[in-house]
Amino acid sequence: MYQTTYHRASSVDEAAALFAKGSEAKFLAGGQTLLPVMKQRLASPSDVIDLGRIKELIGIEASGDTLSVKAATPHYEVATSDAVKKAIPALAYLASLIGDPAVRYRGTIGGSLANNDPAADYPAATLALGATIKTNKRSIAADDYFKGLFTTALEDGEIITAVSFPVPAKAGYAKFPHPASRFALTAVFVAQMKSGEIRAAATGASQSGVMRVPAIEAALKANWSPTAIDGVNISASNLLADIHGSAEYRANLIKVMAQRAVTAAG
Amino acid sequence: MSTVKLTVNGKAVAVDVEDRTLLVQLLRDHLNLTGTHVGCDTSQCGACVVHMDGKAVKSCTMLAGQADGANVTTIEGIAKGDELHPMQAAFRDNHGLQCGYCTPGMIMSAIDIVHRHGGQLDEPTVRQELEGNICRCTGYHNIVKAVLDAAGRMKVSQAAE
């Protein structure tokens, strides 16, 4: 790891001010991605600004039709939270599948969304539920937030403070994990919103990161059941192809994972 | 350079380190607690697992500064004098190690697993929960046996306290 200067911020405002002072600063949440990247010398921030102990960034609040997860809340807390299990059990289940237990104690939802790894779990739930990403400057709808591989609508120095999820009528998540990395080879989150809107998002599959799957949404709109997806045709163009699976394989996985997600949602 | 103050195995310490220092480097290179191992150095293998404020974390994937003010327990801190921790004893009795390289991390993760699941542990759960710890010798079989054995012993010793 190259030299850097470590700062522990005690408030969001202090973190933003520290960032502005650094020549090439980076925010550190749980560090489960940034630190490995720094160790490989693929990132060399002048300053690392730790958000992990900022009290106003930690916690889960359920109120009526909204579940709000603050940005520095670790995956373990989301996976085991009674409030999350009650409001959106599929979200608690998703958090329980990220990495391994030690990673889940440290990694955070805000870190995951700011990084936007094309095979990360949280982007699927965030997009499929039409969540709102709250930052220290504004609110961003999930549909406007994800901009491609490791790219988001966040501006330089902007800090995610919370993610606000509308509580759906039902939702399910199904993941085909890579057996070594536990990242999604392909995973699908499906949601039936209380408005009747049907949303589905796939992660791990597309060359441009998390994406909605309109064909699955249309099939489920007509008939909310796993069999409704049988006849859906998913195009393999623009899907990832690598040593782990071809684009056609991932196209089929989108269908299979969507069916399992619907089964899980009930 | 910064001074990192933390409690390690019950003892308050203050260590001057470069800001880029990892927690595992602070433990091994500055405090000479070499029981915590570095295996892969990429967050995969779990040989570096220690407890921070009671939770199992990968000390190769934390800056030392992030542990400032924290209470850290390493493999050196779990026995009571000459009496092994029940998890250590169970690894010995069940032959849960061969070369021993992964063992400190296995034991620290396994204690965390028992703390979280209490007496509800079964074999599939142990295997699933050990996904962040890699062993290249044993094939895991005796490790899993040791964790299940220790879960019973830890329940008994908690009840006795």
Side-chain angles (χ1 to χ4, degrees):
Chain A
M1 189 185 294
Y2 289 111
Q3 291 284 7
T4 190
T5 302
Y6 171 82
H7 309 264
R8 184 185 287 182
S10 53
S11 71
V12 173
D13 288 346
E14 187 193 355
L18 285 165
F19 188 95
K21 270 194 259 172
S23 60
E24 234 177 282
K26 279 248 183 219
F27 293 118
L28 177 72
Q32 301 302 288
T33 298
L34 179 59
L35 292 175
V37 170
M38 286 172 68
K39 286 163 69 174
Q40 291 174 307
R41 297 193 164 184
L42 296 172
S44 53
S46 60
D47 298 79
V48 169
I49 298 152
D50 188 358
L51 307 173
R53 302 279 185 107
I54 299 178
K55 287 200 173 71
E56 62 192 295
L57 289 183
I58 300 169
I60 295 163
E61 286 167 10
S63 61
D65 285 341
T66 305
L67 179 78
S68 176
V69 181
K70 294 184 184 177
T73 308
H75 310 323
Y76 172 75
E77 301 297 334
V78 176
T80 55
S81 155
D82 288 338
V84 178
K85 284 184 193 168
K86 184 160 174 270
I88 317 179
L91 186 66
Y93 172 68
L94 173 149
S96 79
L97 301 178
I98 301 171
D100 60 52
V103 168
R104 291 195 285 272
Y105 278 136
R106 300 290 305 161
T108 70
I109 186 169
S112 170
L113 292 177
N115 189 47
N116 192 20
D117 188 296
D121 295 275
Y122 270 127
T126 303
L127 187 58
L129 290 167
T132 304
I133 290 101
K134 306 272 179 75
T135 79
N136 58 336
K137 294 179 179 168
R138 57 190 167 137
S139 293
I140 309 171
D143 284 323
D144 303 324
Y145 176 82
F146 300 101
K147 299 288 189 189
L149 295 189
F150 299 104
T151 310
T152 69
L154 291 175
E155 291 165 7
D156 212 28
E158 191 170 7
I159 300 170
I160 301 177
T161 55
V163 186
S164 181
F165 295 95
V167 175
K170 42 175 96 167
Y173 185 61
K175 174 178 178 178
F176 192 89
H178 184 282
S181 74
R182 306 289 175 185
F183 273 100
L185 204 58
T186 286
V188 175
F189 197 104
V190 296
Q192 186 184 96
M193 306 312 291
K194 286 180 176 167
S195 65
E197 187 188 8
I198 306 291
R199 296 174 65 104
T203 187
S206 166
Q207 289 177 24
S208 44
V210 67
M211 62 169 186
R212 302 231 345 234
V213 193
I216 300 270
E217 292 175 354
L220 292 176
K221 180 87 187 162
N223 174 17
W224 179 270
S225 92
T227 52
I229 298 167
D230 284 342
V232 171
N233 185 31
I234 305 283
S235 165
S237 69
N238 197 38
L239 294 190
L240 287 164
D242 55 26
I243 186 174
H244 308 301
S246 65
E248 291 74 20
Y249 182 70
R250 281 183 166 87
N252 190 57
L253 269 184
I254 290 175
K255 278 178 66 174
V256 175
M257 291 301 114
Q259 288 175 317
R260 291 184 189 174
V262 172
T263 302
Chain B
M1 297 287 282
S2 304
T3 303
V4 175
K5 293 179 183 171
L6 68 168
T7 303
V8 179
N9 298 333
K11 199 171 127 193
V13 294
V15 191
D16 292 326
V17 292
E18 287 185 345
D19 285 15
R20 62 177 167 175
T21 305
L22 300 168
L23 176 59
V24 70
Q25 294 168 329
L26 180 147
L27 295 170
R28 288 179 55 87
D29 302 345
H30 296 265
L31 300 179
N32 296 322
L33 293 170
T34 54
T36 302
H37 290 168
V38 178
C40 67
D41 207 19
T42 58
S43 328
Q44 313 282 321
C45 81
C48 67
V49 169
V50 300
H51 292 179
M52 187 175 87
D53 296 330
K55 290 172 176 166
V57 298
K58 292 185 168 174
S59 62
C60 84
T61 312
M62 279 192 61
L63 293 172
Q66 288 176 284
D68 190 81
N71 197 343
V72 172
T73 304
T74 70
I75 188 73
E76 289 93 343
I78 58 172
K80 286 182 185 164
D82 289 342
E83 185 194 337
L84 291 178
H85 185 281
M87 189 63 73
Q88 292 173 305
F91 266 68
R92 187 176 67 180
D93 295 348
N94 290 279
H95 197 52
L97 63 150
Q98 287 181 31
C99 87
Y101 199 89
C102 72
T103 311
M106 284 285 177
I107 286 177
M108 299 312 282
S109 288
I111 292 170
D112 183 76
I113 291 168
V114 174
H115 284 164
R116 273 186 288 116
H117 291 274
Q120 308 300 311
L121 271 181
D122 54 20
E123 186 187 324
T125 306
V126 173
R127 289 186 181 276
Q128 177 73 26
E129 291 275 341
L130 282 175
E131 65 190 343
N133 291 77
I134 294 173
C135 173
R136 299 290 74 164
C137 304
T138 63
Y140 301 96
H141 193 64
N142 285 355
I143 291 175
V144 174
K145 268 169 62 183
V147 177
L148 290 169
D149 183 7
R153 298 186 196 198
M154 286 169 69
K155 208 173 152 193
V156 170
S157 71
Q158 270 171 355
E161 275 175 13

